[in-house]
Amino acid sequence: MSDKPKRILVSNDDGYFSEGLQALVEAVSPLGEVWVVAPDREQSAASHAISLHRPLRIKEVRERWFAVDGTPADCAYLAINHLLKDDRPVLMVSGINHGANLAEDIMYSGTVAAAMEGALLGVPAIAFSLVARRSFDFAPGARFARSLVASALSRPLPPRMLLNVNIPGGVEPEGFVVTRQGRHSYGYEVVENEDPRGRKYYWIGGSDYQHEDIPGSDCNAVFRDKRISVTPLHFELTDHGRLPDLSGWRVDGFNRHEPDGA
């Protein structure tokens, strides 16, 4: 049996200097050989953007710690396909994000996107987020991250495994729940204003938060029960329930054919 330490890749969307990233690195460092490849600046809400039309630059901050002038997905791509291509990581972790990535947040999150890119490239991945807005105490989340990563490393993992973890802020969580993705809203207000030269500008993204009461959801676990939510995600976006209805649509001038294998 090899004594070689297991290689763990760490990234985020808050930047290579962020407190949450430092906490995650410290948490998982006893578990393997940690490499950090993270954005050189904050990339919150960057989603899964990837840079195809400009060159990217990598700066070595210190040994096994790199800053990239790109998106979180860029960081995962460069780490796995370039920096670590000769000895790929066995696991990727992203975070700890400064804020929630619950429900529809997943669609916008750079933290989740970094982990998702890793999973797409065949490296099992876990995204960690702290559900707080002002006071960020990463210690409880870091302790859970160490335990969850240790558990993950102790077993065979499917290469495209992707977990989304949210830790409630301001409390010491007494446990975790395996959840489904919930639904929530921050409101849809658009604030219009004028700059000193009389030109209009706009702020989007509201602050009127509310979530639906969905049994077994990540929102319920975190906000109602004050427990850590662990949500397994996948890449299949097909709305299977919509297929029969859509198959009955008539489109004038075009024949509808059955898909291969149907």
Side-chain angles (χ1 to χ4, degrees):
M1 187 174 183
S2 174
D3 293 329
K4 183 179 178 181
K6 295 181 178 180
R7 183 167 282 187
I8 303 168
L9 172 62
V10 183
S11 192
N12 73 347
D13 73 352
D14 289 309
Y16 73 95
F17 47 79
S18 80
E19 184 181 353
L21 180 74
Q22 299 275 355
L24 185 56
V25 169
E26 290 176 13
V28 302
S29 287
L31 305 177
E33 180 188 274
V34 173
W35 288 68
V36 176
V37 184
D40 67 354
R41 67 202 72 186
E42 185 177 344
Q43 294 277 354
S44 296
S47 189
H48 209 113
I50 197 162
S51 301
L52 299 178
H53 303 292
R54 70 174 184 89
L56 294 167
R57 300 186 186 278
I58 303 174
K59 175 184 176 182
E60 186 170 4
V61 178
R62 57 180 180 270
E63 186 181 10
R64 301 201 305 269
W65 199 301
F66 299 86
V68 176
D69 68 337
T71 67
D74 290 334
C75 294
Y77 190 97
L78 283 173
I80 294 167
N81 291 329
H82 177 63
L83 292 170
L84 306 177
K85 66 180 180 180
D86 295 326
D87 188 5
R88 297 178 115 213
V90 298
L91 184 70
M92 179 177 181
V93 293
S94 181
I96 300 171
N97 189 61
H98 295 232
N101 278 311
L102 297 158
E104 289 90 346
D105 293 339
I106 293 170
M107 306 301 295
Y108 303 99
S109 169
T111 302
V112 176
M116 185 177 290
E117 182 66 20
L120 281 169
L121 295 172
V123 177
I126 309 173
F128 294 93
S129 300
L130 177 63
V131 183
R133 289 198 172 188
R134 292 179 181 86
S135 178
F136 295 98
D137 178 7
F138 292 101
R143 287 193 292 273
F144 182 75
R146 178 178 297 181
S147 292
L148 183 62
V149 169
S151 182
L153 293 174
S154 71
R155 68 194 68 233
L157 298 174
R160 296 185 115 197
M161 183 197 80
L162 176 60
L163 304 181
N164 184 41
V165 177
N166 280 271
I167 303 103
V171 298
E172 185 67 43
E174 55 85 17
F176 72 96
V177 185
V178 177
T179 56
R180 57 177 290 190
Q181 183 181 348
R183 295 193 197 100
H184 70 184
S185 169
Y186 295 99
Y188 303 100
E189 182 182 7
V190 176
V191 177
E192 179 183 292
N193 217 323
E194 287 188 359
D195 66 19
R197 297 184 180 182
R199 296 174 299 189
K200 291 182 179 179
Y201 64 89
Y202 302 88
W203 281 103
I204 64 173
S207 57
D208 181 21
Y209 180 85
Q210 54 186 335
H211 70 268
E212 294 185 27
D213 182 7
I214 300 175
S217 69
D218 50 7
C219 295
N220 277 18
V222 169
F223 290 119
R224 187 189 67 187
D225 302 326
K226 303 300 181 183
R227 292 172 178 154
I228 297 167
S229 71
V230 180
T231 309
L233 305 178
H234 61 68
F235 309 104
E236 168 64 84
L237 297 179
T238 305
D239 185 350
H240 291 276
R242 184 71 57 192
L243 289 174
D245 175 63
L246 186 58
S247 295
W249 286 22
R250 177 178 175 180
V251 181
D252 289 341
F254 293 87
N255 294 322
R256 184 180 69 80
H257 298 271
E258 294 298 328
D260 292 344

